[in-house]
PDB file of all heavy atoms in Angstrom:
ATOM      1  N   MET A  48       4.658 186.675 -77.593  1.00  0.00           N
ATOM      2  CA  MET A  48       3.348 186.327 -77.049  1.00  0.00           C
ATOM      3  C   MET A  48       3.601 185.830 -75.562  1.00  0.00           C
ATOM      4  O   MET A  48       4.579 185.217 -75.202  1.00  0.00           O
ATOM      5  CB  MET A  48       2.679 185.277 -77.877  1.00  0.00           C
ATOM      6  CG  MET A  48       2.195 185.809 -79.159  1.00  0.00           C
ATOM      7  SD  MET A  48       0.678 185.073 -79.637  1.00  0.00           S
ATOM      8  CE  MET A  48       0.562 185.512 -81.394  1.00  0.00           C
ATOM      9  N   THR A  51       3.855 181.700 -75.602  1.00  0.00           N
ATOM     10  CA  THR A  51       4.917 180.999 -76.438  1.00  0.00           C
ATOM     11  C   THR A  51       5.284 179.652 -75.810  1.00  0.00           C
ATOM     12  O   THR A  51       5.362 178.605 -76.441  1.00  0.00           O
ATOM     13  CB  THR A  51       6.185 181.911 -76.496  1.00  0.00           C
ATOM     14  OG1 THR A  51       5.801 183.077 -77.181  1.00  0.00           O
ATOM     15  CG2 THR A  51       7.248 181.169 -77.203  1.00  0.00           C
ATOM     16  N   ARG A  74      13.866 171.912 -84.466  1.00  0.00           N
ATOM     17  CA  ARG A  74      13.540 172.760 -85.490  1.00  0.00           C
ATOM     18  C   ARG A  74      12.158 172.454 -86.059  1.00  0.00           C
ATOM     19  O   ARG A  74      11.423 173.254 -86.499  1.00  0.00           O
ATOM     20  CB  ARG A  74      14.541 172.651 -86.583  1.00  0.00           C
ATOM     21  CG  ARG A  74      15.894 173.468 -86.252  1.00  0.00           C
ATOM     22  CD  ARG A  74      16.987 173.141 -87.300  1.00  0.00           C
ATOM     23  NE  ARG A  74      18.061 174.023 -87.037  1.00  0.00           N
ATOM     24  CZ  ARG A  74      19.097 173.881 -86.200  1.00  0.00           C
ATOM     25  NH1 ARG A  74      19.094 172.879 -85.398  1.00  0.00           N
ATOM     26  NH2 ARG A  74      19.995 174.790 -86.129  1.00  0.00           N
ATOM     27  N   ASN A  83      10.631 181.058 -82.339  1.00  0.00           N
ATOM     28  CA  ASN A  83      12.125 180.993 -82.695  1.00  0.00           C
ATOM     29  C   ASN A  83      12.828 179.847 -82.008  1.00  0.00           C
ATOM     30  O   ASN A  83      12.309 179.526 -80.881  1.00  0.00           O
ATOM     31  CB  ASN A  83      12.703 182.389 -82.372  1.00  0.00           C
ATOM     32  CG  ASN A  83      14.102 182.386 -82.856  1.00  0.00           C
ATOM     33  OD1 ASN A  83      14.998 182.000 -82.123  1.00  0.00           O
ATOM     34  ND2 ASN A  83      14.368 182.930 -84.025  1.00  0.00           N
ATOM     35  N   ALA A  85      15.629 179.775 -80.362  1.00  0.00           N
ATOM     36  CA  ALA A  85      16.145 180.078 -79.219  1.00  0.00           C
ATOM     37  C   ALA A  85      15.099 180.143 -78.059  1.00  0.00           C
ATOM     38  O   ALA A  85      15.448 180.077 -76.835  1.00  0.00           O
ATOM     39  CB  ALA A  85      16.944 181.325 -79.216  1.00  0.00           C
ATOM     40  N   ALA A  86      13.862 180.242 -78.442  1.00  0.00           N
ATOM     41  CA  ALA A  86      12.778 180.432 -77.329  1.00  0.00           C
ATOM     42  C   ALA A  86      12.694 179.092 -76.566  1.00  0.00           C
ATOM     43  O   ALA A  86      12.384 179.144 -75.382  1.00  0.00           O
ATOM     44  CB  ALA A  86      11.438 180.745 -78.070  1.00  0.00           C
ATOM     45  N   TYR A  89      15.380 179.396 -74.081  1.00  0.00           N
ATOM     46  CA  TYR A  89      15.122 180.380 -73.105  1.00  0.00           C
ATOM     47  C   TYR A  89      14.099 179.874 -72.095  1.00  0.00           C
ATOM     48  O   TYR A  89      14.254 179.975 -70.822  1.00  0.00           O
ATOM     49  CB  TYR A  89      14.446 181.665 -73.717  1.00  0.00           C
ATOM     50  CG  TYR A  89      14.105 182.672 -72.694  1.00  0.00           C
ATOM     51  CD1 TYR A  89      15.100 183.444 -72.088  1.00  0.00           C
ATOM     52  CD2 TYR A  89      12.751 182.808 -72.469  1.00  0.00           C
ATOM     53  CE1 TYR A  89      14.596 184.374 -71.064  1.00  0.00           C
ATOM     54  CE2 TYR A  89      12.334 183.820 -71.494  1.00  0.00           C
ATOM     55  CZ  TYR A  89      13.252 184.524 -70.825  1.00  0.00           C
ATOM     56  OH  TYR A  89      12.922 185.420 -69.925  1.00  0.00           O
ATOM     57  N   HIS A  90      13.035 179.183 -72.469  1.00  0.00           N
ATOM     58  CA  HIS A  90      12.017 178.730 -71.557  1.00  0.00           C
ATOM     59  C   HIS A  90      12.342 177.399 -70.942  1.00  0.00           C
ATOM     60  O   HIS A  90      11.863 177.202 -69.769  1.00  0.00           O
ATOM     61  CB  HIS A  90      10.637 178.658 -72.372  1.00  0.00           C
ATOM     62  CG  HIS A  90      10.035 179.941 -72.696  1.00  0.00           C
ATOM     63  ND1 HIS A  90       9.477 180.781 -71.696  1.00  0.00           N
ATOM     64  CD2 HIS A  90       9.922 180.606 -73.853  1.00  0.00           C
ATOM     65  CE1 HIS A  90       9.010 181.809 -72.305  1.00  0.00           C
ATOM     66  NE2 HIS A  90       9.181 181.747 -73.595  1.00  0.00           N
TER      67      HIS A  90
ATOM     68  P    DG C 552      12.841 189.175 -63.453  1.00  0.00           P
ATOM     69  OP1  DG C 552      13.353 187.933 -63.223  1.00  0.00           O
ATOM     70  OP2  DG C 552      13.101 190.477 -62.872  1.00  0.00           O
ATOM     71  O5'  DG C 552      12.067 189.414 -64.744  1.00  0.00           O
ATOM     72  C5'  DG C 552      12.624 189.746 -66.058  1.00  0.00           C
ATOM     73  C4'  DG C 552      11.356 189.585 -67.043  1.00  0.00           C
ATOM     74  O4'  DG C 552      11.606 190.572 -68.056  1.00  0.00           O
ATOM     75  C3'  DG C 552      11.326 188.235 -67.696  1.00  0.00           C
ATOM     76  O3'  DG C 552       9.978 188.076 -68.177  1.00  0.00           O
ATOM     77  C2'  DG C 552      12.231 188.511 -68.823  1.00  0.00           C
ATOM     78  C1'  DG C 552      11.964 189.849 -69.214  1.00  0.00           C
ATOM     79  N9   DG C 552      13.105 190.576 -69.689  1.00  0.00           N
ATOM     80  C8   DG C 552      14.355 190.690 -69.030  1.00  0.00           C
ATOM     81  N7   DG C 552      15.177 191.434 -69.784  1.00  0.00           N
ATOM     82  C5   DG C 552      14.471 191.796 -70.992  1.00  0.00           C
ATOM     83  C6   DG C 552      14.918 192.646 -72.077  1.00  0.00           C
ATOM     84  O6   DG C 552      15.961 193.091 -72.275  1.00  0.00           O
ATOM     85  N1   DG C 552      13.936 192.675 -73.100  1.00  0.00           N
ATOM     86  C2   DG C 552      12.568 192.128 -72.905  1.00  0.00           C
ATOM     87  N2   DG C 552      11.741 192.365 -73.821  1.00  0.00           N
ATOM     88  N3   DG C 552      12.167 191.358 -71.883  1.00  0.00           N
ATOM     89  C4   DG C 552      13.185 191.310 -70.918  1.00  0.00           C
ATOM     90  P    DT C 553       9.378 186.625 -68.638  1.00  0.00           P
ATOM     91  OP1  DT C 553       8.155 186.277 -68.013  1.00  0.00           O
ATOM     92  OP2  DT C 553      10.538 185.643 -68.490  1.00  0.00           O
ATOM     93  O5'  DT C 553       9.185 186.812 -70.205  1.00  0.00           O
ATOM     94  C5'  DT C 553      10.075 187.577 -70.954  1.00  0.00           C
ATOM     95  C4'  DT C 553       9.462 187.643 -72.444  1.00  0.00           C
ATOM     96  O4'  DT C 553      10.335 188.539 -73.096  1.00  0.00           O
ATOM     97  C3'  DT C 553       9.576 186.427 -73.266  1.00  0.00           C
ATOM     98  O3'  DT C 553       8.535 186.409 -74.328  1.00  0.00           O
ATOM     99  C2'  DT C 553      10.977 186.433 -73.821  1.00  0.00           C
ATOM    100  C1'  DT C 553      11.194 187.945 -74.060  1.00  0.00           C
ATOM    101  N1   DT C 553      12.595 188.383 -73.839  1.00  0.00           N
ATOM    102  C2   DT C 553      13.224 189.253 -74.690  1.00  0.00           C
ATOM    103  O2   DT C 553      12.594 189.659 -75.729  1.00  0.00           O
ATOM    104  N3   DT C 553      14.449 189.537 -74.438  1.00  0.00           N
ATOM    105  C4   DT C 553      15.249 189.197 -73.282  1.00  0.00           C
ATOM    106  O4   DT C 553      16.380 189.605 -73.157  1.00  0.00           O
ATOM    107  C5   DT C 553      14.521 188.290 -72.351  1.00  0.00           C
ATOM    108  C7   DT C 553      15.266 187.837 -71.120  1.00  0.00           C
ATOM    109  C6   DT C 553      13.286 187.952 -72.680  1.00  0.00           C
ATOM    110  P    DC C 554       8.300 185.062 -75.200  1.00  0.00           P
ATOM    111  OP1  DC C 554       6.887 185.173 -75.732  1.00  0.00           O
ATOM    112  OP2  DC C 554       8.823 183.981 -74.476  1.00  0.00           O
ATOM    113  O5'  DC C 554       9.282 185.445 -76.391  1.00  0.00           O
ATOM    114  C5'  DC C 554       8.959 186.592 -77.285  1.00  0.00           C
ATOM    115  C4'  DC C 554      10.086 186.948 -78.164  1.00  0.00           C
ATOM    116  O4'  DC C 554      11.320 187.075 -77.367  1.00  0.00           O
ATOM    117  C3'  DC C 554      10.551 185.855 -79.179  1.00  0.00           C
ATOM    118  O3'  DC C 554      10.128 186.252 -80.518  1.00  0.00           O
ATOM    119  C2'  DC C 554      12.074 185.696 -79.017  1.00  0.00           C
ATOM    120  C1'  DC C 554      12.406 186.934 -78.218  1.00  0.00           C
ATOM    121  N1   DC C 554      13.603 186.768 -77.344  1.00  0.00           N
ATOM    122  C2   DC C 554      14.825 187.419 -77.547  1.00  0.00           C
ATOM    123  O2   DC C 554      14.862 188.138 -78.577  1.00  0.00           O
ATOM    124  N3   DC C 554      15.914 187.259 -76.785  1.00  0.00           N
ATOM    125  C4   DC C 554      15.855 186.458 -75.764  1.00  0.00           C
ATOM    126  N4   DC C 554      16.883 186.345 -74.975  1.00  0.00           N
ATOM    127  C5   DC C 554      14.596 185.666 -75.451  1.00  0.00           C
ATOM    128  C6   DC C 554      13.566 185.916 -76.251  1.00  0.00           C
ATOM    129  P    DT C 555      10.394 185.376 -81.797  1.00  0.00           P
ATOM    130  OP1  DT C 555       9.258 185.597 -82.704  1.00  0.00           O
ATOM    131  OP2  DT C 555      10.734 184.042 -81.302  1.00  0.00           O
ATOM    132  O5'  DT C 555      11.704 186.071 -82.381  1.00  0.00           O
ATOM    133  C5'  DT C 555      11.735 187.397 -82.702  1.00  0.00           C
ATOM    134  C4'  DT C 555      13.049 187.772 -83.415  1.00  0.00           C
ATOM    135  O4'  DT C 555      14.075 187.796 -82.442  1.00  0.00           O
ATOM    136  C3'  DT C 555      13.448 186.868 -84.488  1.00  0.00           C
ATOM    137  O3'  DT C 555      13.891 187.612 -85.596  1.00  0.00           O
ATOM    138  C2'  DT C 555      14.664 186.140 -83.919  1.00  0.00           C
ATOM    139  C1'  DT C 555      15.127 187.044 -82.882  1.00  0.00           C
ATOM    140  N1   DT C 555      15.901 186.458 -81.704  1.00  0.00           N
ATOM    141  C2   DT C 555      17.195 186.746 -81.335  1.00  0.00           C
ATOM    142  O2   DT C 555      17.802 187.504 -82.151  1.00  0.00           O
ATOM    143  N3   DT C 555      17.748 186.123 -80.304  1.00  0.00           N
ATOM    144  C4   DT C 555      17.020 185.224 -79.491  1.00  0.00           C
ATOM    145  O4   DT C 555      17.611 184.718 -78.540  1.00  0.00           O
ATOM    146  C5   DT C 555      15.659 184.984 -79.893  1.00  0.00           C
ATOM    147  C7   DT C 555      14.877 184.036 -78.965  1.00  0.00           C
ATOM    148  C6   DT C 555      15.163 185.608 -80.907  1.00  0.00           C
ATOM    149  P    DA C 556      14.155 186.917 -87.002  1.00  0.00           P
ATOM    150  OP1  DA C 556      13.563 187.714 -88.084  1.00  0.00           O
ATOM    151  OP2  DA C 556      13.774 185.457 -86.910  1.00  0.00           O
ATOM    152  O5'  DA C 556      15.809 187.056 -87.114  1.00  0.00           O
ATOM    153  C5'  DA C 556      16.387 188.277 -86.667  1.00  0.00           C
ATOM    154  C4'  DA C 556      17.856 188.108 -86.662  1.00  0.00           C
ATOM    155  O4'  DA C 556      18.321 187.386 -85.449  1.00  0.00           O
ATOM    156  C3'  DA C 556      18.445 187.161 -87.840  1.00  0.00           C
ATOM    157  O3'  DA C 556      19.509 187.883 -88.431  1.00  0.00           O
ATOM    158  C2'  DA C 556      18.826 185.853 -87.058  1.00  0.00           C
ATOM    159  C1'  DA C 556      19.180 186.362 -85.655  1.00  0.00           C
ATOM    160  N9   DA C 556      18.866 185.350 -84.698  1.00  0.00           N
ATOM    161  C8   DA C 556      17.719 184.625 -84.558  1.00  0.00           C
ATOM    162  N7   DA C 556      17.777 183.757 -83.564  1.00  0.00           N
ATOM    163  C5   DA C 556      18.941 184.068 -82.893  1.00  0.00           C
ATOM    164  C6   DA C 556      19.507 183.513 -81.720  1.00  0.00           C
ATOM    165  N6   DA C 556      18.913 182.597 -80.979  1.00  0.00           N
ATOM    166  N1   DA C 556      20.734 184.032 -81.387  1.00  0.00           N
ATOM    167  C2   DA C 556      21.316 185.003 -82.087  1.00  0.00           C
ATOM    168  N3   DA C 556      20.844 185.571 -83.238  1.00  0.00           N
ATOM    169  C4   DA C 556      19.649 185.021 -83.563  1.00  0.00           C
ATOM    170  P    DT C 557      20.200 187.158 -89.753  1.00  0.00           P
ATOM    171  OP1  DT C 557      20.712 188.324 -90.534  1.00  0.00           O
ATOM    172  OP2  DT C 557      19.296 186.246 -90.362  1.00  0.00           O
ATOM    173  O5'  DT C 557      21.415 186.452 -89.110  1.00  0.00           O
ATOM    174  C5'  DT C 557      22.096 187.081 -88.051  1.00  0.00           C
ATOM    175  C4'  DT C 557      23.092 186.073 -87.406  1.00  0.00           C
ATOM    176  O4'  DT C 557      22.428 185.317 -86.328  1.00  0.00           O
ATOM    177  C3'  DT C 557      23.770 185.066 -88.328  1.00  0.00           C
ATOM    178  O3'  DT C 557      25.157 185.146 -88.195  1.00  0.00           O
ATOM    179  C2'  DT C 557      23.309 183.740 -87.831  1.00  0.00           C
ATOM    180  C1'  DT C 557      23.001 184.070 -86.332  1.00  0.00           C
ATOM    181  N1   DT C 557      22.132 183.094 -85.589  1.00  0.00           N
ATOM    182  C2   DT C 557      22.502 182.667 -84.361  1.00  0.00           C
ATOM    183  O2   DT C 557      23.587 182.949 -83.852  1.00  0.00           O
ATOM    184  N3   DT C 557      21.643 181.736 -83.787  1.00  0.00           N
ATOM    185  C4   DT C 557      20.474 181.386 -84.305  1.00  0.00           C
ATOM    186  O4   DT C 557      19.742 180.546 -83.646  1.00  0.00           O
ATOM    187  C5   DT C 557      20.135 181.842 -85.621  1.00  0.00           C
ATOM    188  C7   DT C 557      18.844 181.501 -86.157  1.00  0.00           C
ATOM    189  C6   DT C 557      20.946 182.753 -86.113  1.00  0.00           C
ATOM    190  P    DA C 558      26.099 184.460 -89.194  1.00  0.00           P
ATOM    191  OP1  DA C 558      26.815 185.464 -90.024  1.00  0.00           O
ATOM    192  OP2  DA C 558      25.466 183.338 -89.876  1.00  0.00           O
ATOM    193  O5'  DA C 558      27.268 183.770 -88.207  1.00  0.00           O
ATOM    194  C5'  DA C 558      27.526 184.435 -86.994  1.00  0.00           C
ATOM    195  C4'  DA C 558      27.982 183.517 -85.992  1.00  0.00           C
ATOM    196  O4'  DA C 558      26.869 182.752 -85.321  1.00  0.00           O
ATOM    197  C3'  DA C 558      28.879 182.395 -86.529  1.00  0.00           C
ATOM    198  O3'  DA C 558      30.045 182.187 -85.705  1.00  0.00           O
ATOM    199  C2'  DA C 558      28.019 181.161 -86.690  1.00  0.00           C
ATOM    200  C1'  DA C 558      27.128 181.377 -85.483  1.00  0.00           C
ATOM    201  N9   DA C 558      25.750 180.712 -85.445  1.00  0.00           N
ATOM    202  C8   DA C 558      24.902 180.781 -86.528  1.00  0.00           C
ATOM    203  N7   DA C 558      23.820 180.039 -86.435  1.00  0.00           N
ATOM    204  C5   DA C 558      24.050 179.461 -85.157  1.00  0.00           C
ATOM    205  C6   DA C 558      23.271 178.627 -84.389  1.00  0.00           C
ATOM    206  N6   DA C 558      22.030 178.092 -84.829  1.00  0.00           N
ATOM    207  N1   DA C 558      23.708 178.216 -83.153  1.00  0.00           N
ATOM    208  C2   DA C 558      24.902 178.630 -82.794  1.00  0.00           C
ATOM    209  N3   DA C 558      25.781 179.506 -83.431  1.00  0.00           N
ATOM    210  C4   DA C 558      25.237 179.870 -84.641  1.00  0.00           C
ATOM    211  P    DC C 559      31.262 181.297 -86.151  1.00  0.00           P
ATOM    212  OP1  DC C 559      32.406 181.993 -85.815  1.00  0.00           O
ATOM    213  OP2  DC C 559      31.049 180.888 -87.622  1.00  0.00           O
ATOM    214  O5'  DC C 559      31.077 179.980 -85.196  1.00  0.00           O
ATOM    215  C5'  DC C 559      30.878 180.186 -83.853  1.00  0.00           C
ATOM    216  C4'  DC C 559      30.745 178.838 -83.185  1.00  0.00           C
ATOM    217  O4'  DC C 559      29.351 178.383 -83.223  1.00  0.00           O
ATOM    218  C3'  DC C 559      31.641 177.706 -83.742  1.00  0.00           C
ATOM    219  O3'  DC C 559      32.415 177.112 -82.731  1.00  0.00           O
ATOM    220  C2'  DC C 559      30.598 176.834 -84.389  1.00  0.00           C
ATOM    221  C1'  DC C 559      29.266 177.059 -83.600  1.00  0.00           C
ATOM    222  N1   DC C 559      28.036 176.816 -84.411  1.00  0.00           N
ATOM    223  C2   DC C 559      27.033 176.039 -83.889  1.00  0.00           C
ATOM    224  O2   DC C 559      27.233 175.570 -82.848  1.00  0.00           O
ATOM    225  N3   DC C 559      25.949 175.898 -84.599  1.00  0.00           N
ATOM    226  C4   DC C 559      25.855 176.435 -85.791  1.00  0.00           C
ATOM    227  N4   DC C 559      24.658 176.150 -86.491  1.00  0.00           N
ATOM    228  C5   DC C 559      26.807 177.256 -86.328  1.00  0.00           C
ATOM    229  C6   DC C 559      27.924 177.422 -85.623  1.00  0.00           C
TER     230       DC C 559
END
Side-chain angles (χ1 to χ4, degrees):
Chain A
M48 292 217 195
T51 296
R74 284 169 170 85
N83 186 272
Y89 175 76
H90 287 288

